[in-house]
């Protein structure tokens, strides 16, 4: 389904408010929590995976650092069959990889949901929230 929305961009120093029209496709995301409860979510291209999970579910995705990729409490597993595509259109930064290396229950298909921006190619994305997370901001 093709939708249109207006995005308001905040004032930047020396610039006025800018509004632009964006066409986007609805992207279906299925999220499974540690109790095996599945919920289907709707996102749009450019939406942040962490934000749509927090807005559209009651799942315990803490996101303690507010999406700054510092704590790993938004850690999710991407369906292994979809991981290559997700990493191609939204690559992991070295910083994210460093955080993922220190995650409890980190796997090859782990991502920080705060670092995944939905793209049109990510149709029918399957994501699992792990049962154990640890706030890495306070571990050495």
């Amino acid at each position: 389904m093709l939708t249109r929305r207006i995005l308001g961009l905040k004032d930047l120093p020396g610039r006025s408010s800018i509004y632009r029209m964006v066409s986007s496709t609805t992207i279906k995301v299925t999220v499974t929590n540690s109790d095996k409860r599945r919920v289907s979510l709707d996102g749009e291209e450019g939406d942040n995976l962490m934000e749509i999970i927090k807005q559209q579910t009651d799942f315990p995705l803490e996101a303690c650092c507010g999406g700054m990729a510092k704590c790993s409490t938004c850690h999710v597993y991407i369906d292994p069959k979809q991981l290559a595509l997700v990493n191609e259109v939204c690559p992991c930064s070295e910083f994210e990889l460093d955080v993922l290396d220190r995650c409890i229950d980190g796997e090859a298909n782990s991502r920080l949901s705060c670092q995944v921006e939905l793209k049109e190619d990510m149709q029918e994305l399957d994501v699992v929230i792990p049962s154990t997370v640890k706030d890495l901001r306070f571990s050495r």
Side-chain angles (χ1 to χ4, degrees):
M1 165 187 278
L2 190 63
T3 60
R4 293 183 88 57
R5 65 182 172 157
I6 296 177
L7 296 177
L9 302 176
K10 297 205 183 258
D11 286 341
L12 299 172
R15 296 188 180 160
S16 61
S17 293
I18 302 169
Y19 291 93
R20 62 185 168 120
M21 191 65 88
V22 177
S23 294
S24 66
T25 302
T26 299
I27 299 166
K28 299 289 186 189
V29 178
T30 301
V31 181
T32 305
N33 72 358
S34 59
D35 296 330
K36 307 294 184 221
R37 187 164 59 105
R38 294 172 61 90
V39 175
S40 292
L41 313 177
D42 290 330
E44 293 185 353
E45 186 166 6
D47 285 349
N48 179 276
L49 180 59
M50 177 193 77
E51 291 297 331
I52 67 164
I53 294 171
K54 289 182 69 63
Q55 292 168 2
Q56 298 181 35
T57 75
D58 61 353
F59 291 167
L61 191 73
E62 294 181 42
C64 294
C65 71
M68 300 302 293
K70 293 182 179 184
C71 68
S72 83
T73 60
C74 69
H75 169 224
V76 296
Y77 300 122
I78 305 291
D79 183 318
K81 293 177 236 152
Q82 299 170 315
L83 184 65
L85 173 67
V86 170
N87 287 342
E88 180 182 323
V89 298
C90 187
C92 273
S93 68
E94 289 297 319
F95 187 77
E96 179 182 2
L97 290 172
D98 180 53
V99 173
L100 289 171
D101 282 345
R102 297 181 291 132
C103 272
I104 292 177
D105 295 336
E107 299 289 339
N109 61 325
S110 293
R111 287 295 303 263
L112 299 179
S113 62
C114 69
Q115 299 301 297
V116 177
E117 181 180 312
L118 297 182
K119 304 287 186 185
E120 188 172 351
D121 295 340
M122 293 181 189
Q123 288 299 326
E124 306 297 328
L125 184 62
D126 287 316
V127 176
V128 175
I129 298 174
S131 58
T132 307
V133 295
K134 179 181 180 183
D135 189 344
L136 294 177
R137 293 176 301 165
F138 304 109
S139 62
R140 299 270 172 206

